[in-house]
Amino acid sequence: MANNKDAFRDYLELEKKYSPHTVNAYLNDICFFESFNKNQFHQENIDQANYSQIRTWIVSLVDDGISNVSVNRKMQSLKAYYKFLLKTKQIEVSPLLKHKALKTSSTLQIPFSEKEVVDVLNQMQNPVGFEEIRNKLIIDLFYTAGIRRAELIHLKIGNVNVLGNTIKVLGKRNKERIIPLLPIVSGQLILYFNERTRLETVTYNDFFFLTKKGLKLNESFVYRLINTYFSTVSEKIKRSPHMLRHTFATHLLNNGADLNSVKELLGHSSLASTQIYTHSSLSELKKVYEEAHPRNQK
């Protein structure tokens, strides 16, 4: 089993080109099932587990209050593992062959309004010192470039082109893309970098965004930053970096951007991923439609 997990990691990293975060999530899920299976069925090796055992794990997860979305994600990890065992001819049939995902409620995520974003940026209009300047730049980058949290955290100094008003980020499956920046954001990049050079200690020289102690940012830090600033202007439940990315896409579509262009900016591999943002634009389209269509004129 240990050798299989190492080989599976190589398969995810080298062949599927998944990000380190995704690879670790898959392996953690497999380890959790392995532990459950050992305790529940006294079976050391999950390679020969059957669907009844997996179903028992699913029931246990649900009983523990794990959401259907999270359970489905764990099943995706197991599916990938058994698919790998099939591919390497270590099993003949996947125990998850006939598994159906648990039902989930499709809740529409509501992006920040233009006013909410402007209100936050107005609060930060004249940032002073390293942290305030960095925080304003982070919020502006999420909103004007639509980058992912991991892309911001791993942005390298060498991939910031101030003169060309672009940044190069490493997205999912190690796909690089170049994102244009507004001139006002490029000005903030220079301001931040000047402050960054004054830090007494820098442990991670290659990374563009750092803490005041010169360390690389982490996911929790970035989440708290966005949540803290937007909690002052918004009562929405989700106030996360992803919600700012969602807001970026929705506001572009609301203001006439075509879906293909937004897809490229977001770094999506297919239009299907981008189309989820059109739902938020429908309210705007409906308003224009009702105001403009002759049949609705009074």
Side-chain angles (χ1 to χ4, degrees), residues 38-69:
K38 185 177 180 180
N39 292 331
Q40 188 76 18
F41 299 105
H42 310 292
Q43 186 181 47
E44 296 284 342
N45 192 346
I46 65 167
D47 294 4
Q48 302 304 320
N50 57 45
Y51 186 64
S52 176
Q53 291 167 270
I54 296 172
R55 183 68 189 170
T56 303
W57 187 42
I58 293 172
V59 171
S60 171
L61 291 170
V62 172
D63 286 345
D64 286 341
I66 306 299
S67 71
N68 286 7
V69 171

Side-chain angles (χ1 to χ4, degrees), residues 173-191:
R173 302 194 180 186
N174 292 322
K175 288 173 60 178
E176 288 186 340
R177 73 183 187 282
I178 295 175
I179 305 173
L181 300 178
L182 298 177
I184 190 172
V185 178
S186 292
Q188 290 181 55
L189 288 171
I190 296 171
L191 186 62

Side-chain angles (χ1 to χ4, degrees), residues 7-16 80 83-84 87:
F8 182 54
R9 176 187 286 276
D10 290 340
Y11 165 74
L12 295 176
E13 290 177 343
L14 303 176
E15 189 169 330
K16 302 299 289 183
K83 184 178 179 180
F84 165 73
K87 191 168 185 171

Side-chain angles (χ1 to χ4, degrees), residues 130 191-200 202:
F130 172 78
L191 186 62
Y192 164 75
F193 190 72
N194 287 339
E195 291 292 328
R196 186 188 182 283
T197 59
R198 297 189 182 101
L199 292 176
E200 292 182 8
V202 173

Side-chain angles (χ1 to χ4, degrees), residues 68-85:
N68 286 7
V69 171
S70 295
V71 172
N72 287 341
R73 195 204 54 142
K74 293 179 187 302
M75 291 307 106
Q76 282 301 115
S77 301
L78 278 188
K79 272 188 176 181
Y81 180 67
Y82 288 117
K83 184 178 179 180
F84 165 73
L85 294 182

Side-chain angles (χ1 to χ4, degrees), residues 58 141 210 218 265:
I58 293 172
L141 264 183
L210 301 173
N218 59 52
L265 289 167

Side-chain angles (χ1 to χ4, degrees), residues 167-272:
I167 56 172
K168 183 165 68 174
V169 299
L170 189 64
K172 289 186 174 180
R173 302 194 180 186
N174 292 322
K175 288 173 60 178
E176 288 186 340
R177 73 183 187 282
I178 295 175
I179 305 173
L181 300 178
L182 298 177
I184 190 172
V185 178
S186 292
Q188 290 181 55
L189 288 171
I190 296 171
L191 186 62
Y192 164 75
F193 190 72
N194 287 339
E195 291 292 328
R196 186 188 182 283
T197 59
R198 297 189 182 101
L199 292 176
E200 292 182 8
T201 305
V202 173
T203 307
Y204 294 85
N205 278 301
D206 290 346
F207 292 96
F208 189 73
F209 286 106
L210 301 173
T211 69
K212 64 181 180 181
K213 293 181 179 179
L215 302 174
K216 189 175 76 167
L217 304 185
N218 59 52
E219 292 195 354
S220 297
F221 178 94
V222 178
Y223 175 84
R224 288 196 305 271
L225 189 154
I226 300 304
N227 185 60
T228 298
Y229 279 100
F230 277 86
S231 64
T232 65
V233 301
S234 176
E235 294 183 356
K236 291 181 174 66
I237 296 173
K238 289 196 174 181
R239 298 185 293 263
S240 64
H242 181 73
M243 192 51 62
L244 262 182
R245 177 172 156 87
H246 187 143
T247 302
F248 161 82
T250 303
H251 289 183
L252 282 180
L253 291 168
N254 283 348
N255 285 281
D258 69 276
L259 200 59
N260 262 312
S261 298
V262 175
K263 167 185 168 290
E264 293 301 317
L265 289 167
L266 290 171
H268 285 160
S269 56
S270 70
L271 274 178

